[in-house]
């Protein structure tokens, strides 16, 4: 049988293990409070969001280890998107630097663009489309190429990059001008308005960087878009008939969040209408625990897919992340920060002095969307006036209350025990004493 000394040691080990567990739980709760309340977005369009450089360090290492090929096996455009978002985030950071301090941003953005312009980058797309490889491939590539040029002083821009940007823009403009619908095909027989929105924004960027030539194309595009809005929501539909552009699927948040990121650079007034309509119909607070974005409009449910991911309580986590960027470009700082703080709490970020990753880095494309959203701002239009706020700082209170309770709960049994000992001692008319440990031997 164990002796008194072993029993004492066992009680000591148990007591210290309880204390360590309680301390760990309380520390996690405290970290949650910090993530929920600390600034997570940029302070103004020229500010740099915290942690993005470390996110990009993680993403570059992941890309070097084959993360883009892994993403392609999970998503139809995984390889393309991971490189595109990596390059675009570097452009965003570079734009915040003085012209003479953009070498790293320019190098990394060009590196990403080279991967898009490779056989692997073009592999999912058809060369037989108009324009070749489809509007998804050509639009996002053109937007990134314009971003690379934006990092260079006008007199020092690379002539080959300028020619390529002008040529690709001309091909997109000609395709829009020749089309009976504002929505070009991304794949044979398939068209999504979000892809054409990105491409049209790249033409607006062309007209900012080079002599303007696409104003008429953009005006015709906007008229066609207004004639083909989703009848249920008044927003751009998620998917359309490729021949007529007629809505084929209700507006959904996975595309709306991106549309509202780019539309402000095409037509700020129309973008404002669309953004407020989107926010009114899709912003939600599941269980009263913070802002999130529904995949389908309020009052409607639908199936999940590879774009939306799982839809717990109807919420799309991916759309919630991208909507933070859309809110930022529209000057909706309260919603942008709310969605980002919510993501900081739920996304399980792992911080080191050198890198930052979410969800333990298991899905790098998710990290890429977070970094891209945190750095969002208009590239063509002036920053718009903030819209009326849809949430206040106080949405955090329910979650803060939960975190405080979780942090205090492990200590409550000991506090209750001490309180009872004190009351019992007072009832006996003596001071409470600390129980002595039995001596060994």
């Amino acid at each position: 049988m164990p002796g008194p000394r072993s029993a004492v040691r066992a009680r000591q080990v148990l007591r210290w293990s309880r204390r360590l567990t309680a301390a760990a739980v309380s520390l996690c709760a405290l970290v949650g409070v910090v993530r929920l309340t600390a600034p997570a977005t940029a302070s103004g369009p020229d500010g740099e969001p915290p942690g993005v450089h470390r996110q990009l360090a993680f993403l570059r290492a992941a890309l070097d280890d084959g993360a883009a090929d892994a993403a392609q096996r999970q998503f139809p455009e995984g390889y393309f998107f991971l490189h595109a978002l990596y390059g675009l985030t570097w452009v965003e950071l570079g734009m915040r630097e003085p012209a003479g301090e953009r070498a790293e941003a320019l190098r990394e953005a060009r590196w990403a663009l080279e991967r898009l312009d490779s056989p692997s980058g073009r592999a999912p797309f058809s060369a037989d489309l108009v324009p070749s490889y489809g509007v998804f491939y050509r639009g996002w590539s053109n937007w990134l190429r314009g971003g690379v040029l934006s990092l260079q002083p006008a007199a020092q821009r690379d002539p080959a990059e300028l020619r390529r940007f002008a040529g690709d823009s001309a091909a997109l403009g000609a395709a829009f001008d020749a089309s009976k619908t504002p929505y070009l095909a991304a794949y044979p027989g398939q068209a999504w308005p979000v892809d054409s929105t990105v491409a049209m924004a790249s033409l607006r960027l062309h007209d900012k960087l080079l002599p303007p030539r696409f104003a008429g194309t953009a005006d015709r595009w906007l008229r066609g878009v207004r004639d083909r809005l989703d009848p249920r929501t008044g927003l751009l539909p998620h998917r359309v008939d490729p021949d007529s552009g007629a809505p084929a699927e209700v507006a959904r948040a996975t595309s709306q969040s991106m549309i509202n990121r780019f539309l402000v650079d095409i037509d700020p007034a129309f973008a404002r209408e669309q953004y407020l309509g989107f926010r009114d119909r899709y912003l939600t607070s599941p269980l009263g625990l913070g802002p999130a974005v529904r995949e389908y409009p309020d009052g409607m449910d639908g199936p999940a897919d590879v774009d939306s991911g799982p839809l717990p309580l109807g919420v799309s986590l991916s759309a919630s992340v991208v909507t933070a960027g859309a809110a930022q470009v529209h000057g909706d700082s309260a919603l942008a920060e709310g969605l980002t703080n919510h993501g900081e709490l739920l996304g399980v970020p792992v911080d080191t002095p050198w890198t930052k990753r979410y969800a333990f880095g298991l899905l790098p494309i998710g990290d890429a969307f977070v970094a891209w959203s945190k750095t969002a701002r208009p590239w063509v239009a002036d920053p718009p006036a903030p819209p009326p706020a849809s949430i206040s700082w106080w949405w955090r209170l329910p979650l803060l209350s939960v975190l405080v309770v979780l942090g205090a709960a492990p200590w409550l049994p000991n506090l209750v025990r001490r309180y009872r000992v004190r009351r019992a001692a007072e009832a006996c008319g003596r001071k409470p004493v600390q129980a002595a440990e039995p001596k060994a031997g």
Side-chain angles (χ1 to χ4, degrees):
M1 294 180 63
R5 188 186 301 273
S6 298
V8 171
R9 288 177 177 172
R11 285 196 296 273
Q12 289 175 336
V13 170
L14 180 61
R15 184 167 60 250
W16 278 105
S17 65
R18 287 174 177 168
R19 290 176 180 174
L20 289 174
T21 301
V25 171
S26 297
L27 179 61
C28 289
L30 177 60
V31 169
V33 170
V34 171
R35 289 175 176 168
L36 198 59
T37 57
T41 57
S43 55
D46 295 323
E48 182 179 321
V52 172
H53 268 103
R54 288 181 292 121
Q55 284 184 260
L56 289 172
F58 160 68
L59 285 170
R60 180 56 196 262
L63 285 166
D64 289 342
D65 287 341
D69 293 318
Q72 186 60 40
R73 292 191 291 270
Q74 297 169 316
F75 306 100
E77 300 97 10
Y79 179 98
F80 184 97
F81 250 142
L82 193 48
H83 283 103
L85 297 176
Y86 176 80
L88 290 170
T89 305
W90 269 115
V91 171
E92 295 278 8
L93 292 183
M95 288 179 175
R96 290 162 164 83
E97 299 287 348
E101 300 177 17
R102 298 174 175 177
E104 182 182 19
L106 189 56
R107 182 186 68 246
E108 293 300 305
R110 280 173 167 158
W111 177 86
L113 187 56
E114 288 172 2
R115 270 67 193 167
L116 302 189
D117 206 18
S118 69
S120 295
R122 293 189 294 267
F125 309 104
S126 172
D128 296 330
L129 293 172
V130 179
S132 59
Y133 301 104
V135 71
F136 175 96
Y137 177 84
R138 296 294 287 269
W140 281 95
S141 298
N142 210 45
W143 181 253
L144 178 54
R145 200 177 306 278
V148 167
L149 289 168
S150 299
L151 293 180
Q152 305 169 56
Q156 300 174 23
R157 288 173 182 151
D158 181 275
E161 290 175 345
L162 277 172
R163 287 193 297 271
R164 178 66 183 276
F165 181 59
D168 285 0
S169 296
L172 279 167
F176 278 118
D177 289 341
S179 176
K180 297 178 180 178
T181 162
Y183 303 127
L184 305 179
Y187 295 98
Q190 300 180 77
W192 290 266
V194 61
D195 302 326
S196 291
T197 304
V198 177
M200 187 55 62
S202 79
L203 298 186
R204 287 296 206 196
L205 182 58
H206 170 282
D207 285 3
K208 178 182 178 181
L209 299 175
L210 299 174
R213 58 178 295 187
F214 297 112
T217 301
D219 289 342
R220 285 190 296 275
W221 185 83
L222 285 164
R223 289 195 297 271
V225 167
R226 288 190 177 97
D227 289 341
R228 295 168 174 83
L229 296 176
D230 167 34
R232 180 186 178 102
T233 62
L235 306 175
L236 275 71
H238 180 68
R239 184 172 52 85
V240 296
D241 180 275
D243 296 320
S244 66
E249 190 173 356
V250 69
R252 290 175 50 183
T254 44
S255 57
Q256 281 295 312
S257 54
M258 282 194 185
I259 287 170
N260 282 284
R261 169 82 181 253
F262 288 94
L263 199 57
V264 69
D265 281 324
I266 301 173
D267 186 307
F270 181 54
R272 175 87 161 206
E273 297 171 11
Q274 289 287 298
Y275 174 72
L276 293 178
F278 167 63
R279 196 180 69 174
D280 289 345
R281 292 169 177 82
Y282 293 79
L283 185 62
T284 186
S285 180
L287 305 179
L289 297 178
V293 176
R294 293 178 51 85
E295 174 64 10
Y296 294 90
D298 189 29
M300 177 181 178
D301 292 314
D305 59 21
V306 68
D307 292 325
S308 69
L311 299 177
L313 301 176
V315 167
S316 169
L317 302 181
S318 60
S320 298
V321 168
V322 180
T323 297
Q328 220 165 252
V329 300
H330 284 271
D332 195 352
S333 56
L335 180 56
E337 187 159 8
L339 289 167
T340 305
N341 277 135
H342 209 188
E344 290 293 312
L345 177 66
L346 302 180
V348 198
V350 178
D351 282 280
T352 75
W354 308 277
T355 64
K356 181 175 183 179
R357 67 199 71 186
Y358 291 82
F360 304 104
L362 297 176
L363 203 62
I365 196 166
D367 293 82
F369 273 110
V370 171
W372 180 61
S373 292
K374 282 186 176 182
T375 55
R377 63 177 184 172
W379 283 12
V380 179
D382 293 329
S390 57
I391 62 171
S392 70
W393 192 95
W394 303 106
W395 69 264
R396 296 170 174 84
L397 278 183
L399 283 170
L400 288 173
S401 300
V402 171
L403 291 169
V404 168
V405 170
L406 288 176
W411 305 99
L412 291 179
N414 189 47
L415 293 174
V416 171
R417 188 163 50 248
R418 290 186 178 186
Y419 174 76
R420 287 176 176 172
V421 169
R422 184 176 294 110
R423 289 296 301 271
E426 290 172 354
C428 294
R430 58 184 175 82
K431 294 181 179 180
V433 295
Q434 190 77 20
E437 297 286 358
K439 295 181 179 181

